[in-house]
Amino acid sequence: MKISTYRPDAPHAADGVAVAAVEAGSATRLGVGATWVGVAPGARSEAHQHDETETWVFVSGTGELTVDAERHPVSASTVVQFEPFETHSVENTGDTDLLFVSLYWRDGERAMNAAHDTGHRGFGTRPVFVFSSAPTPNGDLHLGHLSGPFFGADVFVRHQRMLGADAWHITGSDDYQNYVVAAARREGRTPAQTAAHYSAEILATLKLMDIDVHQYTATSRDDAYPAALRAFFSRLTASGTVAPRESAALFAADTGEYLYESGVSGRCPTCDGDSGGNICETCLEPNVCTDLIEPRSAACDAPPHERALVRYTFPLHEFGKVVTDHHRLGRVPAAVKELAERLGRREQLHIPVTHVAEWGITPAESDVPGQVIWSWLDYAFSILYGIGELGRDLGRDWAADAPSPDWKIVHFLGSDGSFFHPMFIPALYRVAHPRWQPDIDYHINEFYLLEDSKFSTSRGHAIWGKDVLNPRTVDAIRFYLALTRPEGRRTGFSPDAYETYVRDTLVGTWQRWLHDLGERVAERYAGVAPDAGVWRPEHAAFLARLEARRSALTGALGQDGFSLNRAAELLDGIVTDVTAFVRLQAPAADVADFKDEARTGIALELAAARLLATCGAPVMPRFAERLSAALGIPAPTRWPARVDLVPAGTVVDLAGREFFAVPGTADAQPSAPAADRSDPPLLPWFSALVRDLLRLPADEPVHDRSLIQLGMASLQAIALQYQLTEQVDADVPIEELLGARTVAELSALIAEGLDPDDVAARAGVPA
């Protein structure tokens, strides 16, 4: 027998607490690893996770245990067991040492089951707020924009919802950016007009891309937002951490204009590459503008000059451990951790958080007259504000000024936000809400190139979303962007490569197989799905192959291994597998003696089509709905737990269906039925517009129902309002759209303000 006792004089530091190993002989006899752990009053262990199963037996003291954001009190006699990969930490809330013994061991099967659990890390038990990085409303969205955070967040949320998670997509327009002012000057508008115009354009383009947004905050058009941001800023200043500080700033030589962000550029002080003000897109490190090498003003050729200026600043260098601890809690790319380590070498990093500007929200404090709150601090708060506004609309107790430990936040962003999102913002949160440990995952994409160079609005080097997106193309564009978007490396879009892929793969392989399958079902089984017959080893092997694809897709779209590149490859892999299977089975397909085996083959092909529709739903929602309808099954709403056959006897109508349009063909729009001459002349056109916006069937009766009765939400009403302005220059208030008027009455109202020739053109009758 061996006896071990805790020796407080001989511990070593691990995970932020004092650890002393149980003597090797005792641990060996126990059959597990064993350590004594002591946590001093007020101390907290670092959050961590591992593949071992672990048991804690508390001996003395009191504390609070946090496991995947759930908190539990612990004290002497409490026993806790952690499953593999559960993120856990403990805080001593008492006046004496919190002491426990940790017993841990590896169980490979248990760890593998935990790794495959789609609900681990609390994704199935707490609200999941998924943010696509808020766009700057200084232009519309091109494919470079759409390939990144917006699309990633949309697919992520769709998949999480199919798993049953309480997931929400939140974004908005980052209205108070310095870049909005530059666009306003260029276009001869005010910043407010510019932000409002492009914010509406952005929302409409997201709609065309079938990107669902559950909360969209346009910060300059939300009456409650300025006061809420000021209150957040006052939280920071009340702490004493964010305070006025005099430092050097840059000013234009001719006008004396204060320079930052888009107003100045130069060479990066870290990597010597070209850099904008405040951030370098090459090495991703921040700058404070005065440290740029050979700075250049955007307004004049003369070199800018420096002078001292008092601004509110944030000492980020004091929060290195906060950032490191934050990166241990969620999913953080290795490149971000390396960037944090680089920045941690700086002795000082004072970040100005107010700037001299007329466009923006001024602090409540009067220490810095003529300055506004920096847009990146503004953005940090807008994340919390978006959650609060969504909660208010849903009747949930989510509040911006009281973030909850059970919130799971997931950020989708471009690599140029690698400093701001995972470092600057969490440090701000620690000052504003010291007791909150934000649990945030980060999914970061690189730049998407167009013909080997960056998309550029100013150079006209772009493919705009509105120019290429319509109901016939959206699925193909979504799939191709999923396949080629820049995950961990820069990738590019080539129009020729895109058209070739759609023609040869989506139309020439996917659609051809589905049509051929439909023809064979019609010819051999009178258009209904046959029941499986005799199974041969090759049938079982193909079913196993489909199951492997399903399992891999679950991981590729899951919270830990999310990759749209991999998901697109796996979806295409289903078609590759099934077409190879069909080719091998074809020689005996019409042999009478093997008709029962052939029946099984057809049933498995239909199962593959069903799997393609269901697992493809997050990536291509319209395709999934059309393919499911052609298979005679409901549109997918739940993620499949296995590969399922199409029920025997189900009517199958695959032959001749268009799932993808051949590039170069005319854009086909659903034709509306001819209107009765007693109906308002714009009713067919407006009805078709409403059906398309709400994704209603082409024959859905809408004329005698209001938009609210048809299920229209406020964001969809904004998108409809934009379409009316763009298509017929009709200004219809939101209140009218969401009022009691029917679709027929609204079409008559729209017609009243139009030129008769415009009405006749839309109505399709001679003037």
Side-chain angles (χ1 to χ4, degrees):
M1 181 182 79
K2 290 189 178 290
I3 297 176
S4 176
T5 57
Y6 178 61
R7 295 177 56 196
D9 60 330
H12 66 275
D15 296 327
V17 294
V19 176
V22 172
E23 286 84 347
S26 299
T28 301
R29 289 175 178 242
L30 287 171
V32 298
T35 56
W36 289 98
V37 183
V39 186
R44 177 197 295 271
S45 69
E46 294 170 353
H48 63 286
Q49 55 175 263
H50 41 68
D51 67 319
E52 297 101 336
T53 303
E54 185 176 19
T55 298
W56 287 358
V57 181
F58 288 86
V59 177
S60 64
T62 57
E64 186 174 67
L65 180 69
T66 302
V67 184
D68 287 339
E70 289 190 16
R71 297 188 177 188
H72 309 272
V74 294
S75 59
S77 76
T78 302
V79 179
V80 179
Q81 186 168 98
F82 304 109
E83 293 296 321
F85 312 121
E86 286 186 322
T87 303
H88 53 278
S89 65
V90 66
E91 180 181 7
N92 186 339
T93 59
D95 299 326
T96 60
D97 281 356
L98 177 64
L99 182 63
F100 60 93
V101 64
S102 168
L103 309 172
Y104 51 92
W105 63 96
R106 278 193 168 87
D107 182 331
E109 183 177 356
R110 196 167 184 175
M112 189 59 67
N113 289 337
H116 281 89
D117 180 9
T118 57
H120 82 275
R121 296 204 289 135
F123 272 77
T125 58
R126 52 178 168 153
V128 180
F129 305 112
V130 182
F131 286 86
S132 52
S133 187
T136 303
N138 63 339
D140 202 352
L141 301 179
H142 51 59
L143 291 187
H145 297 128
L146 291 169
S147 70
F150 310 108
F151 183 36
D154 179 68
V155 175
F156 188 93
V157 170
R158 288 178 184 273
H159 180 243
Q160 286 295 321
R161 287 189 157 206
M162 290 182 76
L163 293 173
D166 187 23
W168 306 89
H169 184 185
I170 303 176
T171 190
S173 52
D174 194 6
D175 291 359
Y176 292 112
Q177 281 272 8
N178 166 269
Y179 300 92
V180 173
V181 178
R185 288 174 179 169
R186 188 170 59 246
E187 298 175 6
R189 286 189 281 209
T190 67
Q193 290 170 334
T194 302
H197 171 74
Y198 284 118
S199 182
E201 293 269 7
I202 287 165
L203 187 57
T205 302
L206 293 176
K207 174 63 182 175
L208 288 173
M209 184 71 173
D210 283 346
I211 291 174
D212 286 342
V213 178
H214 304 109
Q215 169 61 35
Y216 186 93
T217 303
T219 53
S220 67
R221 288 180 290 147
D222 187 317
D223 293 340
Y225 188 78
L229 175 61
R230 290 189 181 101
F232 178 76
F233 191 83
S234 293
R235 276 180 176 267
L236 300 173
T237 61
S239 72
T241 302
V242 173
R245 180 176 178 271
E246 185 176 83
S247 59
L250 287 183
F251 296 85
D254 55 351
T255 64
E257 179 184 1
Y258 173 80
L259 301 177
Y260 72 114
E261 290 190 336
S262 68
V264 64
S265 59
R267 298 206 319 274
C268 174
T270 299
C271 71
D272 201 42
D274 291 338
S275 174
N278 297 101
I279 196 70
C280 173
E281 291 187 353
T282 302
C283 69
L284 308 179
E285 290 200 20
N287 61 71
V288 292
C289 298
T290 52
D291 54 350
L292 287 170
I293 301 169
E294 299 178 355
R296 303 180 299 274
S297 168
C300 67
D301 294 332
H305 63 266
E306 290 187 16
R307 73 165 183 261
L309 178 68
V310 175
R311 293 166 291 184
Y312 274 95
T313 62
F314 180 66
L316 186 62
H317 55 277
E318 297 177 5
F319 290 84
K321 188 176 186 308
V322 169
V323 171
T324 300
D325 289 347
H326 175 68
H327 291 172
R328 288 192 175 102
L329 198 58
R331 181 188 192 272
V332 182
V336 170
K337 297 174 184 176
E338 188 275 333
L339 175 60
E341 191 276 333
R342 262 190 279 144
L343 295 179
R345 299 176 204 159
R346 298 194 190 185
E347 291 185 7
Q348 290 191 340
L349 185 53
H350 288 281
I351 306 292
V353 292
T354 59
H355 294 284
V356 179
E358 295 181 1
W359 175 242
I361 297 174
T362 57
E365 294 74 13
S366 58
D367 306 77
V368 288
Q371 297 185 29
V372 300
I373 298 169
W374 190 29
S375 58
W376 273 104
L377 189 151
D378 173 356
Y379 180 66
F381 173 69
S382 74
I383 293 167
L384 305 181
Y385 186 83
I387 294 173
E389 288 300 284
L390 177 65
R392 184 177 60 80
D393 291 343
L394 298 174
R396 307 281 191 95
D397 60 347
W398 304 330
D401 58 357
S404 172
D406 75 334
W407 291 358
K408 180 62 191 180
I409 298 174
V410 181
H411 277 313
F412 280 81
L413 61 140
S415 61
D416 53 347
S418 295
F419 161 69
F420 296 113
H421 287 260
M423 293 173 225
F424 178 66
I425 290 176
L428 288 176
Y429 288 161
R430 174 55 58 90
V431 176
H433 303 285
R435 297 292 301 166
W436 182 44
Q437 284 190 299
D439 184 358
I440 306 177
D441 286 0
Y442 299 94
H443 297 266
I444 299 177
N445 61 269
E446 297 291 333
F447 289 113
Y448 197 46
L449 307 179
L450 174 59
E451 302 288 15
D452 299 323
S453 63
K454 284 177 60 177
F455 279 80
S456 172
T457 302
S458 60
R459 292 188 290 111
H461 186 67
I463 297 175
W464 299 102
K466 289 191 179 73
D467 291 341
V468 295
L469 289 165
N470 62 62
R472 292 187 70 202
T473 63
V474 63
D475 282 318
I477 289 173
R478 282 176 65 108
F479 186 82
Y480 192 74
L481 293 185
L483 186 68
T484 61
R485 72 193 294 266
E487 296 177 359
R489 73 213 189 284
R490 291 192 175 189
T491 58
F493 182 91
S494 163
D496 289 343
Y498 162 73
E499 291 186 6
T500 298
Y501 188 86
V502 174
R503 182 179 294 107
D504 294 349
T505 302
L506 297 182
V507 175
T509 304
W510 290 36
Q511 189 160 279
R512 179 178 295 174
W513 161 60
L514 291 170
H515 287 178
D516 178 61
L517 174 59
E519 289 170 356
R520 285 180 282 128
V521 171
E523 179 183 341
R524 300 173 187 172
Y525 304 102
V528 299
D531 196 3
V534 174
W535 285 70
R536 305 300 303 158
E538 56 269 33
H539 295 136
F542 180 60
L543 180 61
R545 183 67 175 161
L546 291 178
E547 172 55 28
R549 295 288 187 187
R550 185 207 65 81
S551 178
L553 276 159
T554 304
L557 294 175
Q559 64 265 24
D560 294 346
F562 185 83
S563 168
L564 279 175
N565 291 169
R566 181 68 178 140
E569 290 168 358
L570 288 164
L571 289 169
D572 185 54
I574 293 174
V575 181
T576 299
D577 291 345
V578 73
T579 51
F581 174 76
V582 171
R583 187 167 57 253
L584 292 173
Q585 298 301 307
D590 295 316
V591 177
D593 288 345
F594 296 103
K595 63 180 181 180
D596 289 336
E597 285 92 336
R599 186 155 47 94
T600 303
I602 293 290
L604 282 170
E605 278 192 75
L606 290 170
R610 180 175 187 171
L611 185 68
L612 185 64
T614 309
C615 292
V619 179
M620 298 174 289
R622 291 188 189 231
F623 168 77
E625 290 179 8
R626 288 196 298 269
L627 180 52
S628 297
L631 292 170
I633 58 176
T637 58
R638 305 294 295 178
W639 189 255
R642 61 188 176 276
V643 178
D644 288 317
L645 303 179
V646 174
T650 303
V651 176
V652 174
D653 183 21
L654 285 168
R657 290 282 191 113
E658 181 185 85
F659 298 104
F660 301 101
V662 177
T665 58
D667 294 339
Q669 299 292 343
S671 58
D676 186 275
R677 286 294 176 260
S678 63
D679 286 333
L682 289 184
L683 182 57
W685 166 77
F686 187 61
S687 296
L689 184 62
V690 168
R691 289 190 190 97
D692 182 61
L693 192 68
L694 295 177
R695 297 188 197 172
L696 300 174
D699 58 352
E700 176 81 10
V702 299
H703 71 280
D704 61 348
R705 301 166 70 188
S706 71
L707 297 179
I708 287 289
Q709 290 172 327
L710 291 168
M712 180 169 283
S714 57
L715 288 179
Q716 292 167 316
I718 293 172
L720 177 59
Q721 189 182 45
Y722 170 81
Q723 291 291 335
L724 293 174
T725 303
E726 282 292 296
Q727 294 192 33
V728 295
D729 197 24
D731 184 13
V732 183
I734 292 292
E735 294 77 9
E736 289 284 3
L737 294 176
L738 296 180
R741 293 179 187 266
T742 65
V743 169
E745 291 168 342
L746 283 171
S747 68
L749 176 67
I750 295 166
E752 289 175 4
L754 300 184
D755 182 273
D757 290 340
D758 291 337
V759 174
R762 290 291 173 182
V765 297

